[in-house]
Amino acid sequence: MTDADIAADAGIPADTSADIDIEALRQRALTTLTTARDRTALLTSCVDEPELTAQVSPLMSPLVWDLAHIGNQEELWLLRAVGGRDAMRPDIDGLYDAFEHPRSERPSLPLLPPEEARRYAAEVRGRVTDVLESHAFRGDRLTDMGFAFGMVAQHEQQHDETMLITHQLRTGPQALTAPDPEPVPLFTGPSEVLVPGGPFTMGTSTEPWALDNERPAHRREVASFHIDTTPVTNGAYLAFIEDGGYDDPRWWTTEGWAHIRRNSVTAPGFWRREAGQWLRRRFGVTEAVPLDEPVVHVCWYEADAYARWAGRRLPTEAEWEKAARHDPTADRSMRYPWGDADPAPEHANLGQRHLRPAPAGSYPAGESPLGVRQLIGDVWEWTSSDFLPYPGFRAFPYKEYSEVFFGPEYKVLRGGSFAVDEVACRGTFRNWDYPIRRQIFSGFRTARSGAV
C-alpha cells in the first residue's frame, strides 16, 4: 500500500502542499511561535533570579538553561538553516547542546544570566519574524509547509512543559495560578468500551508538522479489545494502595518490584498520608487528593502493577491509537478523537489552561466515535509498548530527535497532558520516557483482550 493509498484511506489529500494559503500558513506559524513565547515568559517571570539559576532536581535543568536553549535552537533552525543568516552566538552552541551536557552538569556551566538569556531569545525572535515575512513555505522538506517553524514551536512548548515540571518539583510558596477545570457530574457511563478488531491506519504521512517518529502512515491489524472509557482515577488507584498493592510482589515486574523497594515508593509522586487523609502537593499548594481526577505522577511500573491487580493490562501503543483515531463508521483514521478539527476548549484540557487534570468523564465533545473520553489532554498515558520506529522510518531533520532513543529502555506515552500545548499534541504524537519516571504528568488507562 502506497502513502497515497493510506492517505486516501485516512480521508486526507495525499498532497497537502499543492494548493496552500501562504498567508494563512504564515499567520499560523507566527501565532504558534508567539503562543509558545508568551508561555515561556510566564514560566520564567513568576520566580526571582536565584530560582531561575537554581537546580531543583538533578532530573531537571535550571530554568535559565531552558530559556537560552529555546533561543539557541530557534537561531540554529530558523535563522541559520532556514533563513541562511550568519550565526549570532556560535560561542554558546555547545553550552546549550542537550546531548553534550546532561542535566546534572548544567548548573556548573557558564550559562547566560537571566536578563542576557531573555535579550538573546528576544533578539532571535525579532530576526525570525523577518525571515517568516519572506518565507515561501515551499522547497526542501525542512521548509515545505513551514515544517521548521512548526518544529521550533513544538520544541519550545515541550520545554515549557519541562519547565512546568520544574515548577512542580520546586519547594516554596505557589508561583503559578490558573482557574480549575469546570466541575462535572460524577461520571456514570460505561467503565470500558469495545474496540472492534481489524486493520487501521497508524501514524501519518500527511500531517505537515508531524515529527519523524510519527511517520510514515502504515496499516496495523489490531485484534478486538476493551479499553477504559476514562483514565484511571485517584479514587480507583487508592483502592490499589489500600489493598496492599505496593506490598505485594505478585503485581510487579521484577524490575518494578526492585525499583519501588529500593526507592521506598508507596504512593504516586507528591502524595503523603497525614492524620488519616491522603494529601498531595500541587505547584506549591497542599490539598486533599481529589478522588474523581485521573491519577498523575505515576511511573510505568506503577501503572503496569495497577493493571495487573485489576485483572487487566496496559494498552499497546497501536491499541491506544486505534481507540483514539479510528472511525469505524467511515473506516478511516482521524487527526483527533473528535475528528479533524484543531482542538478547542470544549475538546480537551490542554495548554496549561488549568494546572490539574479535569475530572474523569469531562469533555464529552472530545470523545472518540466509540465513546472513549479524555484521550487527548489531562494526563500522558503509559502504554505497554517500547519506543520503536515505524516501518519505513527515516530520521529527520536530525537523528538525535528520535532515532537515538529507539529501544526497550523507553516506554511510549500517548495523548498529552494539561501541560501540553495543542501544537505538540495530536492523535499521532508519541512521547517516551524511562519506566521509572514520574515527575512527568503521567497517568494511564487499562485494557483487556477479547470481544466479550
Side-chain angles (χ1 to χ4, degrees):
M1 178 174 281
T2 68
D3 284 354
D5 293 332
I6 292 172
D9 175 74
I12 302 169
D15 184 2
T16 56
S17 64
D19 185 21
I20 61 173
D21 184 334
I22 296 294
E23 288 309 312
L25 193 52
R26 182 174 288 116
Q27 186 57 51
R28 182 191 179 204
L30 179 61
T31 298
T32 54
L33 288 169
T34 301
T35 299
R37 186 53 48 87
D38 289 346
R39 186 178 176 196
T40 299
L42 172 65
L43 290 163
T44 56
S45 64
C46 61
V47 292
D48 57 21
E49 183 167 325
E51 288 203 76
L52 287 175
T53 57
Q55 186 179 47
V56 302
S57 165
L59 297 174
M60 312 306 294
S61 307
L63 291 172
V64 73
W65 186 92
D66 287 287
L67 176 59
H69 170 76
I70 285 167
N72 184 247
Q73 288 295 295
E74 188 165 325
E75 183 195 347
L76 288 171
W77 289 106
L78 299 187
L79 291 187
R80 301 186 202 175
V82 172
R85 305 288 182 89
D86 292 337
M88 290 171 55
R89 292 293 305 268
D91 56 305
I92 66 172
D93 289 352
L95 291 176
Y96 297 102
D97 184 331
F99 285 88
E100 189 170 330
H101 300 289
R103 288 175 176 173
S104 59
E105 293 180 1
R106 292 171 191 172
S108 63
L109 300 174
L111 303 177
L112 299 183
E115 281 309 309
E116 187 175 353
R118 288 191 181 99
R119 286 195 301 271
Y120 168 63
E123 185 176 356
V124 170
R125 176 55 57 85
R127 298 187 187 189
V128 163
T129 303
D130 292 339
V131 171
L132 182 59
E133 288 177 354
S134 60
H135 186 57
F137 296 99
R138 284 190 174 95
D140 60 18
R141 187 175 170 191
L142 186 64
T143 59
D144 191 41
M145 294 294 289
F147 172 81
F149 295 93
M151 179 184 72
V152 166
Q154 290 177 82
H155 173 266
E156 181 161 355
Q157 286 286 3
Q158 287 169 323
H159 275 271
D160 288 340
E161 183 179 9
T162 299
M163 289 193 285
L164 190 62
I165 293 170
T166 299
H167 276 277
Q168 170 64 8
L169 287 165
R170 65 181 283 274
T171 58
Q174 182 179 20
L176 294 167
T177 60
D180 285 341
E182 289 292 321
V184 297
L186 182 68
F187 181 69
T188 57
S191 62
E192 64 177 8
V193 168
L194 170 65
V195 180
F200 84 107
T201 300
M202 186 172 184
T204 180
S205 295
T206 57
E207 184 74 29
W209 291 359
L211 303 171
D212 61 0
N213 63 64
E214 301 171 65
R215 299 173 181 271
H218 58 286
R219 297 291 276 175
R220 286 284 183 97
E221 184 77 28
V222 176
S224 298
F225 68 99
H226 290 78
I227 192 167
D228 289 340
T229 308
T230 71
V232 171
T233 63
N234 289 319
Y237 197 86
L238 186 58
F240 168 67
I241 297 174
E242 293 179 341
D243 193 47
Y246 281 90
D247 300 312
D248 192 335
R250 287 182 299 166
W251 314 127
W252 301 83
T253 65
T254 301
E255 298 84 359
W257 182 249
H259 171 71
I260 68 162
R261 296 287 99 184
R262 184 169 57 250
N263 294 279
S264 301
V265 176
T266 58
F270 308 103
W271 284 31
R272 74 173 189 269
R273 189 165 177 83
E274 188 174 292
Q277 182 182 24
W278 281 102
L279 305 174
R280 73 174 181 187
R281 181 170 58 82
R282 182 179 59 84
F283 299 108
V285 175
T286 298
E287 60 190 11
V289 170
L291 301 183
D292 61 345
E293 281 185 14
V295 67
V296 66
H297 298 301
V298 289
C299 71
W300 185 89
Y301 291 129
E302 290 169 292
D304 179 69
Y306 172 94
R308 292 168 188 260
W309 170 82
R312 297 171 68 84
R313 58 177 174 79
L314 295 179
T316 67
E317 184 182 11
E319 288 174 333
W320 188 97
E321 188 168 323
K322 185 170 186 181
R325 296 185 63 214
H326 186 64
D327 179 354
T329 301
D331 191 23
R332 75 179 188 94
S333 290
M334 306 178 298
R335 296 177 69 216
Y336 297 98
W338 55 85
D340 296 329
D342 290 339
E346 65 268 21
H347 291 137
N349 180 10
L350 293 167
Q352 201 179 310
R353 189 169 69 247
H354 310 296
L355 288 170
R356 63 196 305 157
S362 295
Y363 306 107
E367 72 179 20
S368 75
L370 293 173
V372 188
R373 295 196 181 185
Q374 291 168 285
L375 287 156
I376 299 293
D378 286 307
V379 292
W380 284 108
E381 299 185 16
W382 289 110
T383 72
S384 64
S385 299
D386 298 335
F387 184 49
L388 298 172
Y390 289 159
F393 167 84
R394 291 172 57 195
F396 180 81
Y398 55 101
K399 290 184 177 182
E400 289 79 10
Y401 182 74
S402 302
E403 186 173 317
V404 298
F405 297 102
F406 290 144
E409 298 86 358
Y410 295 93
K411 294 294 185 181
V412 173
L413 302 101
R414 299 298 296 263
S417 73
F418 65 86
V420 175
D421 184 80
E422 65 176 77
V423 75
C425 185
R426 50 195 161 265
T428 58
F429 193 93
R430 308 172 75 195
N431 190 9
W432 64 94
D433 215 328
Y434 291 114
I436 63 172
R437 292 288 189 252
R438 61 184 198 153
Q439 81 278 9
I440 58 178
F441 302 110
S442 52
F444 64 101
R445 71 181 74 216
T446 68
R448 66 180 176 91
S449 302
V452 294

